């Protein structure tokens, strides 16, 4: 049996939020810098939801604070030190911004964007249950402004395992495409996958 399946594209809400956060110009007033930091926090928050929904087998949203989600993730996942540090920094910047947005300077936004990008690098490239993109695929995903989908290719003897993977991907916010679940009788498979 083949343990491999192919993911050609991803469509995660957290990645869309990350792309929006990274695409914003550095704010020149405290209000726009606050909004940029908040968008970064929202991207991290959504990423944590995606991981925890899968890890803890939750079916709905994970209703709790960002700090509690980070704490829950640390309990179920052995996070690299740089990810832990960057998560803590993002939470600190968000708290500072919510109490005194003037304390955040334009150069702080560049640092925050670098930190959030490294967290997502872990999530999309290094995380064992993540999409396991290559570095080039990671950069390509961040540069695309379109919603992406997942195409799953598999050997027929792996069908039961792939069904489980398909369901996990759906719970995590992906839009997976799999012949047995996505192709209706009479449809031309070549037209449907292109």
């Amino acid at each position: 049996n083949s343990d491999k399946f192919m993911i050609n594209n991803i469509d995660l809400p957290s990645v869309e939020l990350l792309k929006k956060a990274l695409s914003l110009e550095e704010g020149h007033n405290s209000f726009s810098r606050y909004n940029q930091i908040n968008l970064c926090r929202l991207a991290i928050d959504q990423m944590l939801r995606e991981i925890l929904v899968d890890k803890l087998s939750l079916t709905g949203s994970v209703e709790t604070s960002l700090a509690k989600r980070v704490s829950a993730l640390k309990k179920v996942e052995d996070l690299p030190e740089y990810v832990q540090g960057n998560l803590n920094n993002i939470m600190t910047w968000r708290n500072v911004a919510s109490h005194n947005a003037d304390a955040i300077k334009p150069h702080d936004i560049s640092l925050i964007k670098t930190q959030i990008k490294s967290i997502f690098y872990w999530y999309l490239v290094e995380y064992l249950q993540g999409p396991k993109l290559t570095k080039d695929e990671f950069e390509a995903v961040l540069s695309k402004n379109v919603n992406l989908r997942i195409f799953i290719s598999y050997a027929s003897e792996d069908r039961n395992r792939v069904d489980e993977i398909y369901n996990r991907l759906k719970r995590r916010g992906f839009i997976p495409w799999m012949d047995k679940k996505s192709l209706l009788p009479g449809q031309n498979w070549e037209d449907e996958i292109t």
Side-chain angles (χ1 to χ4, degrees):
N1 287 1
S2 169
D3 260 353
K4 297 185 178 184
F5 61 97
M6 186 183 340
I7 297 178
N8 288 339
N9 294 307
I10 62 170
D11 182 23
L12 290 168
S14 62
V15 173
E16 294 305 313
L17 287 167
L18 172 66
K19 289 191 293 190
K20 288 177 186 172
L22 294 176
S23 70
L24 292 175
E25 296 293 322
E26 290 183 13
H28 296 291
N29 63 54
S30 59
F31 181 73
S32 63
R33 288 191 297 272
Y34 172 79
N35 286 335
Q36 288 174 320
I37 290 172
N38 206 38
L39 192 52
C40 289
R41 185 207 50 87
L42 288 172
I44 293 291
D45 198 40
Q46 182 60 40
M47 178 201 74
L48 294 171
R49 287 173 190 248
E50 292 161 5
I51 293 171
L52 291 171
V53 162
D54 186 46
K55 280 281 192 186
L56 304 176
S57 299
L58 301 173
T59 54
S61 63
V62 182
E63 297 298 332
T64 188
S65 70
L66 177 60
K68 288 182 181 175
R69 268 190 282 283
V70 168
S71 178
L73 179 61
K74 288 177 182 177
K75 289 178 184 173
V76 295
E77 189 65 41
D78 186 23
L79 298 175
E81 284 186 33
Y82 79 92
V83 173
Q84 288 186 43
N86 287 338
L87 284 169
N88 291 337
N89 288 340
I90 297 292
M91 289 189 304
T92 300
W93 282 116
R94 172 60 175 83
N95 290 337
V96 167
S98 66
H99 297 316
N100 182 7
D102 291 329
I104 307 298
K105 303 300 177 206
H107 66 274
D108 297 328
I109 298 298
S110 293
L111 176 62
I112 291 165
K113 286 181 178 181
T114 300
Q115 291 173 338
I116 192 173
K117 192 173 175 183
S118 77
I119 293 168
F120 272 85
Y121 183 85
W122 167 80
Y123 178 43
L124 298 173
V125 177
E126 298 173 349
Y127 177 49
L128 291 178
Q129 280 106 15
K132 301 294 287 175
L133 303 178
T134 65
K135 184 178 180 181
D136 290 339
E137 289 169 334
F138 173 74
E139 293 297 334
V141 164
L142 292 187
S143 68
K144 291 183 181 179
N145 292 324
V146 294
N147 285 338
L148 304 172
R149 300 179 193 276
I150 300 170
F151 176 81
I152 302 173
S153 175
Y154 63 98
S156 58
E157 60 266 16
D158 294 331
R159 171 71 194 274
N160 290 339
R161 182 164 184 262
V162 174
D163 282 342
E164 179 186 320
I165 291 168
Y166 175 92
N167 292 329
R168 281 182 37 197
L169 290 169
K170 281 191 71 109
R171 283 196 315 266
R172 293 178 71 190
F174 287 90
I175 303 173
W177 192 97
M178 181 177 146
D179 61 345
K180 299 293 183 192
K181 296 199 182 255
S182 305
L183 193 60
L184 299 174
Q187 286 182 314
N188 182 324
W189 67 268
E190 289 177 320
D191 291 339
E192 294 303 314
I193 64 172
T194 56

